[in-house]
Amino acid sequence: STATAANTLGHEQSEKLPRGVVIGKDGKPCRSCTSFAAWRDMTRGKARQDAAANDKGSSVAAVTKPPAPRADCPPDVETLGRGTWTLLHSIAATYPDVPSMSQQSDLLGFVKLFSKLYPCWVCAEDFQSYLGKEMPRVQSRDEFGKWLCGAHNEVNRKLGKPQFDCSQWQERWRTGWKD
Ligand code: FAD
């Protein structure tokens, strides 16, 4: 997918791993940095190697059909991303129109800490660089919602996804669509 391709841009990965599998800082494959499809290709490749080593033809056949993702697996980069954007845009939606100084400082602190703790490290590093270029705007709900929309669009651009119209962020995340 475009997401997994973008994830690997500029990040070296072992030639033995399928395209899109990102290595974590511990030197092991990073699940929250990798799409389910790439992770599955990697584990299927390993299952094939194990089956070939055991010389069991039936096991080889058993691993050729891609397994469907289970709902209760650890999140891949896309599931984690969707859930996280939902949380971030919902924080923007419930942020006050006129925040106090302490609310502004809490939100700024949260965004900075979030950018250090985000489990997909390649995503986190790019997000930190974005924060360096575009300081979060926390002066009001609409300012923050639009800033966040811009940050999300930057990731969309990197992944080859369509740009979201930021004038509509409140309909998408706060008020619902007028219809
Ligand atoms: P998502 O991008 O998850 O969006 C969810 C919903 O938000 C969309 O359906 C749409 O209704 C709405 N939306 C879309 N754009 C906007 C916007 N600009 N403003 C408001 N609402 C919007 N994945 C990678 O592969 N590589 C990365 O480097 C990477 N970095 C990330 C960094 C961060 C901080 C986060 C939170 C996620 C990152 N992701 C990354 C995950 C990626 O952004 C997507 O979440 C994932 O690919 C799933 O995409 P999706 O198409 O389901 O929609």
Side-chain angles (χ1 to χ4, degrees), residues 1-7 32-33 35 77-86 88-89 114 118 120 122-124 126-127 145 148-156 158-159 161-166 168-169 172-173 177:
S1 76
T2 49
T4 55
N7 258 335
S32 53
C33 311
S35 73
V77 68
E78 291 169 14
T79 304
L80 178 70
R82 270 191 292 276
T84 303
W85 287 123
T86 300
L88 292 174
H89 291 295
F114 161 85
Y118 194 63
C120 161
V122 282
C123 310
D126 287 352
F127 192 67
L148 187 61
C149 180
H152 193 163
N153 270 341
E154 176 84 357
V155 180
N156 290 341
K158 182 173 77 168
L159 301 181
K161 292 179 196 256
Q163 293 290 285
F164 185 90
D165 174 359
C166 290
Q168 300 196 312
W169 87 267
R172 171 64 180 89
W173 294 105
W177 300 99

